[in-house]
Amino acid sequence: MKNWPLWEVFIRSKQGLNHKHVGSLHAANAEMAIENARDVYTRRKEGVSIWVVESVHITANNPEEHDELFEPASDKVYRHPTFYDLPDEVKHM
Amino acid sequence: MSQHTITVDTKTVQLDYILRMADNAMILGQRLSEWCGHGPILEQDIAITNIALDLIGQARNLYQYAAELEGNGKTEDDYPFLRDVTDFKNVLLVEQPNGNWGQTLMRQFLYDTFNYYFYSAMQNSTDERLAAIAEKSLKEIKYHMRYSSEWVVRLGDGTEESHQKMQDALSDLWMYTGELTKPDKLDEQMASSGIGVDLKSIQAQWQKKVDEVLERATLKKPESNWMQSGGKQGKHGEHLGYMLADMQFMQRTYPNMEW
């Protein structure tokens, strides 16, 4: 059981929302991963749908690349739609 | 006068029947809870104790109903905590010790399969309360059966060692499966009144499902068909007494304590 692969768990909390990453767990296969996820992450009614994916299949960016990947976006405030005068009639913007 | 006698008698019989169902769920739930903190891995520890809690919840529904039927100030706690071994009417299978993980899951599989067909039929009970409890419990039991069946196949059709352990577990436990679907007088009386389940009608379904899973698990039923029985009549093996000593310790030592 120590050799069981790691799985990442994604839960949809209710219809219409996205699946969100909630954590990871060990399981022998996908079927068991779903069942373990059900017991570990949804027993307090947290979900209506479960996705699992073996952790090795996830490609992540290298944290050392942080500056070149994310820094350039930090001084481009014009990408946020905050430069418009909104008529008073428009609510919830 | 005779009308009155019949009513009282029916109530007692029904109470006995409900307590059988409740005791099955309670004793198996208590057994499984012994795994808490000892599961082979964290995820399975949570899974098996989850099932334990489902079963204890089912037992509570039934004990609450029993207490209402009996009256006289009875509460749901009186049945599990204040009765002696011979008052428990659970089948022998559920009181068997946990053994290794495979033995626990084999016991669970044999029982879940019975429980599934039993509660499926119980949904049609003329007793609306029992029918409602059955409907609610069935969703949990369906999952239990799926979980334990998968484990029996996984370990039975696993390595040489896991296969042998599962075969031993099946051989040891098989003799306790007879009384699951063999009706006694109380079963027959309850079935004919429409309150209980006709065990003979679920016998074939149970057998078919068990055979199916055992085949996938490459396991063989023992050749001997000799069956042990007596649990439903309160005749238990030595294991139940030790278990109750554990379970009832607080109420026996500090009577009426609450938290």
Side-chain angles (χ1 to χ4, degrees), chain B residues 29-41 44-46 48-49 52 97-105 107:
Chain B
Q30 174 74 13
R31 266 286 180 245
L32 291 182
S33 73
E34 292 169 13
W35 275 108
C36 188
H38 301 276
I41 95 169
Q44 296 305 326
D45 190 295
I46 294 175
I48 202 79
T49 43
N98 285 339
N100 59 38
W101 182 251
Q103 281 169 299
T104 293
L105 269 302
R107 182 189 65 201

Side-chain angles (χ1 to χ4, degrees), chain A:
Chain A
M1 294 182 185
K2 290 189 183 96
N3 301 323
W4 287 355
L6 194 66
W7 300 74
E8 300 301 324
V9 181
F10 300 83
I11 304 276
R12 182 206 290 280
S13 59
K14 60 179 181 183
Q15 295 301 343
L17 294 184
N18 299 328
H19 284 75
K20 274 179 84 173
H21 184 244
V22 293
S24 55
L25 48 75
H26 289 93
N29 56 23
E31 221 167 36
M32 194 201 278
I34 291 274
E35 288 172 14
N36 287 349
R38 178 254 192 195
D39 288 328
V40 176
Y41 293 112
T42 71
R43 66 209 175 99
R44 298 187 185 89
K45 296 195 70 159
E46 293 95 333
V48 295
S49 166
I50 302 172
W51 287 352
V52 291
V53 58
E54 237 187 290
S55 309
V56 295
H57 296 311
I58 289 184
T59 310
N61 75 282
N62 185 338
E64 283 167 22
E65 301 162 344
H66 181 272
D67 285 357
E68 67 238 48
L69 285 177
F70 307 116
E71 273 298 307
S74 65
D75 64 350
K76 298 185 172 60
V77 285
Y78 51 84
R79 288 179 180 166
H80 293 273
T82 50
F83 297 93
Y84 303 95
D85 290 324
L86 287 178
D88 292 339
E89 296 78 40
V90 179
K91 296 188 174 96
H92 311 300
M93 283 289 280

Side-chain angles (χ1 to χ4, degrees), chain B:
Chain B
M1 183 66 199
S2 69
Q3 183 70 40
H4 176 71
T5 318
I6 288 167
T7 317
V8 169
D9 185 50
T10 313
K11 200 178 97 173
T12 317
V13 171
Q14 192 179 353
L15 183 66
D16 283 349
Y17 192 71
I18 293 166
L19 286 175
R20 273 188 186 179
M21 295 166 64
D23 290 343
N24 278 342
M26 184 69 223
I27 296 302
L28 187 55
Q30 174 74 13
R31 266 286 180 245
L32 291 182
S33 73
E34 292 169 13
W35 275 108
C36 188
H38 301 276
I41 95 169
L42 176 70
E43 289 84 347
Q44 296 305 326
D45 190 295
I46 294 175
I48 202 79
T49 43
N50 223 1
I51 294 177
L53 281 177
D54 284 348
L55 287 165
I56 291 169
Q58 290 166 19
R60 286 193 59 195
N61 286 331
L62 292 161
Y63 284 137
Q64 282 163 7
Y65 186 27
E68 284 169 38
L69 274 183
E70 191 170 352
N72 300 326
K74 279 271 179 189
T75 75
E76 55 172 313
D77 286 345
D78 293 343
Y79 302 106
F81 294 129
L82 298 177
R83 286 181 306 155
D84 265 332
V85 171
T86 51
D87 299 325
F88 278 79
K89 300 293 158 56
N90 56 277
V91 291
L92 297 171
L93 179 66
V94 297
E95 72 196 47
Q96 299 309 309
N98 285 339
N100 59 38
W101 182 251
Q103 281 169 299
T104 293
L105 269 302
M106 178 58 78
R107 182 189 65 201
Q108 195 62 31
F109 159 68
L110 294 169
Y111 185 75
D112 288 342
T113 314
F114 157 75
N115 214 19
Y116 175 74
Y117 292 113
F118 181 84
Y119 274 91
S120 298
M122 185 57 85
Q123 289 184 111
N124 303 319
S125 171
T126 53
D127 181 326
E128 285 175 16
R129 178 82 169 263
L130 283 183
I133 291 174
E135 194 189 337
K136 182 169 183 285
S137 308
L138 204 56
K139 293 189 191 100
E140 296 169 344
I141 294 166
K142 208 169 165 181
Y143 183 77
H144 301 170
M145 184 166 77
R146 163 178 161 169
Y147 174 84
S148 58
S149 303
E150 278 173 16
W151 267 107
V152 166
V153 173
R154 185 176 292 128
L155 294 174
D157 190 19
T159 65
E160 207 174 303
E161 186 189 354
S162 73
H163 173 84
Q164 191 54 48
K165 284 186 173 174
M166 290 312 269
Q167 186 59 59
D168 291 346
L170 177 61
S171 304
D172 289 346
L173 292 169
W174 188 248
M175 66 173 167
Y176 299 113
T177 58
E179 65 176 347
L180 291 174
T181 56
K182 190 172 177 224
D184 69 351
K185 213 178 131 209
L186 177 57
D187 289 318
E188 280 165 2
Q189 205 175 342
M190 283 288 99
S192 65
S193 74
I195 295 173
V197 170
D198 178 5
L199 289 183
K200 276 177 271 175
S201 77
I202 63 169
Q203 218 275 336
Q205 294 173 302
W206 179 80
Q207 194 68 61
K208 187 168 168 256
K209 177 75 182 175
V210 167
D211 286 349
E212 221 174 84
V213 173
L214 291 182
E215 198 191 322
R216 280 175 57 213
T218 68
L219 296 170
K220 289 203 166 47
K221 286 187 288 190
E223 279 172 22
S224 162
N225 241 344
W226 182 81
M227 291 292 169
Q228 184 66 269
S229 66
K232 291 200 264 193
Q233 292 78 36
K235 284 179 275 178
H236 296 283
E238 61 175 319
H239 302 299
L240 186 60
Y242 290 105
M243 194 178 148
L244 293 186
D246 240 7
M247 189 171 95
Q248 300 180 333
F249 173 80
M250 291 299 261
Q251 277 304 319
R252 300 289 191 192
T253 312
Y254 306 99
N256 303 321
M257 83 160 295
E258 287 177 39
W259 65 50

